[in-house]
């Protein structure tokens, strides 16, 4: 005979067998809040625009793209990625302009804004995977231990995928006094990993929280979520606006391009700096990640339609997650930004810079890149003499 008590006991046993890295599903009042969300319907969180989450096109073509030998070589650097070893001295002096950003690789950024320190999507683990022995491995070391960063006022998480929400990183941060700002439902993972509920700020889209004079707002994004084998889509994904006494910044998290960037800009912008995902894109998943051209367009939308502020490209260079060449996001972004007249920062991982100061502009990736195709370029016919051979490959370091 089966009763309520035995059902609960069975669920508890199943939860105990779930790998720690899978996190936890929302329950109780958290789950009730998920169900009450205006962004939740038909049993899952919904995107702001119709979105295909899984790969589109031929599965065979996708597999061929990943396993083709020459393509595999292009997706990794040809040498050691130059990393700036972030030191205590780098961060000891307050930013002269009140805003300093340090890209730690992938989507991780330490933002020092108006006397506060915000750490976005920190991933210090060796792999973005539920398992320590398999999955995409780092292409460069972390620029500094977490302890070298000093006190962090708030850690901001965009969503619960492994390359943005990292178990060993969160467990280390759980031993500090930092607060965590996360999208609705994601707090269940953090509580399982030792973060007390009192240090969580769990927000739905367009909700805000105040942290010592900073205003953090979760804003819409076009993506999806999930860590386990049976993903219930009960955790939200978000972009984030952080507003201090004198500066405003935006972090896109993972997202496909959508018209909502214009609304976010109108409501919260313009921004001194945006951190925009423009790597790990593919024709096989056009709705959930952005190309560099789309990332630039998103930045311009956020700024009211024209070039303004500084764009910091993120979500590239650290993990091999897509078929494009490793250095292609840097090259494409540089071309697109120059054409639009938009200021872009290209720091090495770990290199601090102030958006209102001198920007790191060197194409540092060219010294360690395989040959790169440039399919986004459209050379004018008059520039190619008749009969001359057409070349669509060059060495990144040749220019």
């Amino acid at each position: 005979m089966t009763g309520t008590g035995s059902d609960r006991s069975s669920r508890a046993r199943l939860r105990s067998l779930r790998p720690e890295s899978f996190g936890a599903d929302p329950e109780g009042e958290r789950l009730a809040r998920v169900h009450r969300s205006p962004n939740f319907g038909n049993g899952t969180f919904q995107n702001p625009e119709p979105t295909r989450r899984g790969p589109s096109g031929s599965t065979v073509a996708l597999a061929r793209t990943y396993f083709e030998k020459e393509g595999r070589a292009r997706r990794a650097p040809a040498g050691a990625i130059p990393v700036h070893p972030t030191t205590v001295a780098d961060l000891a002096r307050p930013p002269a302009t009140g805003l300093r950003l340090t890209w730690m690789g992938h989507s991780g950024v330490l933002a020092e804004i108006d006397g506060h320190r915000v750490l976005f999507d920190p991933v210090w683990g060796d792999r973005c995977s539920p398992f320590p022995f398999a999955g995409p491995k780092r292409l460069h070391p972390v620029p500094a231990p977490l302890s070298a960063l000093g006190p962090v006022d708030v850690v901001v998480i965009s969503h619960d995928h492994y390359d943005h929400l990292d178990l060993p990183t969160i467990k280390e941060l759980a031993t500090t006094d930092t607060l965590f700002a996360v999208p609705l439902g994601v707090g269940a993972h953090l509580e399982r990993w030792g973060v007390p509920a009192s240090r969580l700020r769990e927000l739905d889209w367009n909700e805000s929280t105040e942290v010592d004079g900073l205003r953090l707002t979760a804003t819409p994004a076009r993506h999806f979520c999930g860590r386990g084998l049976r993903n219930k889509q009960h955790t939200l994904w978000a972009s984030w606006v952080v507003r201090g006494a004198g500066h405003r910044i935006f972090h896109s998290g993972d997202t496909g391009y959508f018209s909502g960037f214009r609304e976010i800009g109108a409501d919260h912008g313009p921004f001194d700096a945006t951190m925009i995902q423009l790597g790990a894109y593919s024709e096989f998943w056009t709705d959930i990640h952005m190309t560099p051209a789309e990332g630039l367009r998103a930045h311009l939308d956020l700024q009211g339609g024209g070039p303004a502020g500084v764009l910091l490209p993120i979500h590239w260079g650290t993990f091999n997650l897509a078929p494009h060449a490793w250095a292609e996001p840097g090259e494409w972004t540089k071309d697109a930004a120059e054409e639009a007249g938009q200021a872009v920062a290209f720091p090495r991982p770990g290199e601090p810079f102030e958006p209102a100061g001198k920007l790191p502009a060197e194409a540092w990736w060219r010294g360690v890149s395989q040959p790169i195709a440039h399919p986004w370029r459209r050379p004018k016919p008059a520039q190619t003499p008749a009969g001359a051979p057409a070349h669509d490959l060059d060495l990144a370091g040749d220019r």
Side-chain angles (χ1 to χ4, degrees):
M1 181 175 177
T2 302
T4 302
S6 60
D7 288 345
R8 290 175 179 169
S9 178
S10 297
R11 288 198 297 270
R13 285 196 297 270
L14 288 173
R15 282 197 298 270
S16 70
L17 296 174
R18 178 177 175 138
E20 185 183 26
S21 59
F22 283 10
D25 293 326
E27 296 181 337
E29 175 53 30
R30 177 177 280 121
L31 182 58
R33 191 176 166 210
V34 166
H35 288 162
R36 292 194 302 266
S37 168
N39 304 303
F40 190 84
N42 299 321
T44 67
F45 278 110
Q46 302 294 312
N47 271 297
E49 294 180 1
T51 299
R52 183 186 178 98
R53 291 177 177 145
S56 60
S58 166
T59 304
V60 174
L62 176 60
R64 186 183 301 120
T65 299
Y66 267 98
F67 292 107
E68 186 264 328
K69 184 177 180 181
E70 185 178 346
R72 289 203 308 272
R74 285 198 301 270
R75 292 198 300 273
I81 295 173
V83 174
H84 177 91
T86 311
T87 65
V88 174
D90 288 327
L91 305 176
R93 298 183 306 275
T97 62
L99 177 63
R100 180 166 57 205
L101 302 178
T102 306
W103 180 49
M104 294 296 178
H106 202 56
S107 292
V109 181
L110 176 66
E112 298 168 271
I113 174 171
D114 299 331
H116 302 88
R117 299 160 68 97
V118 181
L119 184 58
F120 292 95
D121 282 0
V123 174
W124 259 248
D126 289 332
R127 297 182 186 271
C128 50
S129 166
F131 309 110
F133 53 84
K137 189 175 175 61
R138 281 187 165 274
L139 299 175
H140 65 78
V142 293
L146 274 171
S147 58
L149 303 185
V152 172
D153 295 289
V154 57
V155 174
V156 176
I157 302 297
S158 65
H159 64 298
D160 67 0
H161 285 160
Y162 290 97
D163 57 322
H164 297 259
L165 181 61
D166 180 57
L167 168 62
T169 305
I170 297 301
K171 292 189 78 169
E172 183 171 349
L173 289 166
T175 65
T176 71
D177 294 328
T178 188
L179 299 176
F180 293 82
V182 302
L184 184 55
V186 173
H189 299 313
L190 273 64
E191 283 196 54
R192 184 181 183 192
W193 299 337
V195 178
S198 61
R199 284 167 48 199
L200 289 173
R201 304 291 184 269
E202 201 162 348
L203 305 182
D204 203 345
W205 289 343
N206 301 313
E207 291 183 343
S208 300
T209 188
E210 299 281 342
V211 177
D212 294 332
L214 288 182
R215 185 173 181 84
L216 295 92
T217 304
T219 44
R222 192 183 183 201
H223 200 57
F224 67 110
C225 64
R227 297 177 71 86
L229 296 177
R230 299 180 64 186
N231 176 24
K232 296 180 179 180
Q233 296 290 311
H234 283 179
T235 58
L236 188 59
W237 49 96
S239 57
W240 288 88
V241 170
V242 178
R243 180 174 181 171
H247 296 88
R248 304 179 191 187
I249 56 177
F250 174 84
H251 189 284
S252 71
D254 272 5
T255 181
Y257 178 81
F258 71 113
S259 61
F261 289 118
R262 291 191 292 272
E263 296 176 17
I264 295 171
D267 291 342
H268 302 283
F271 298 98
D272 298 279
T274 69
M275 297 154 272
I276 302 289
Q277 171 265 307
L278 43 67
Y281 48 85
S282 170
E283 62 183 4
F284 294 103
W285 50 82
T286 56
D287 291 350
I288 56 173
H289 283 173
M290 293 190 290
T291 66
E294 291 170 324
L296 174 63
R297 183 180 174 190
H299 171 89
L300 297 176
D301 285 353
L302 290 160
Q303 303 289 42
V310 174
L311 166 62
L312 172 61
I314 61 172
H315 204 263
W316 75 285
T318 302
F319 297 106
N320 179 355
L321 300 176
H324 62 67
W326 168 74
E328 184 177 288
E331 285 291 313
W332 190 349
T333 303
K334 191 170 182 64
D335 283 352
E338 287 176 357
E339 184 174 343
Q342 174 59 51
V344 181
F346 291 110
R348 294 165 175 80
E351 180 181 3
F353 73 94
E354 300 191 31
K358 183 179 180 180
L359 299 181
E362 180 188 354
W364 53 266
W365 57 86
R366 291 177 178 170
V368 293
S369 173
Q370 301 282 355
I372 303 173
H374 299 84
W376 61 89
R377 293 181 180 171
R378 298 182 179 89
K380 298 177 181 179
Q383 294 176 332
T384 304
H391 298 284
D392 67 348
L393 286 177
D394 67 5
L395 289 174
D398 287 347
R399 297 189 296 104

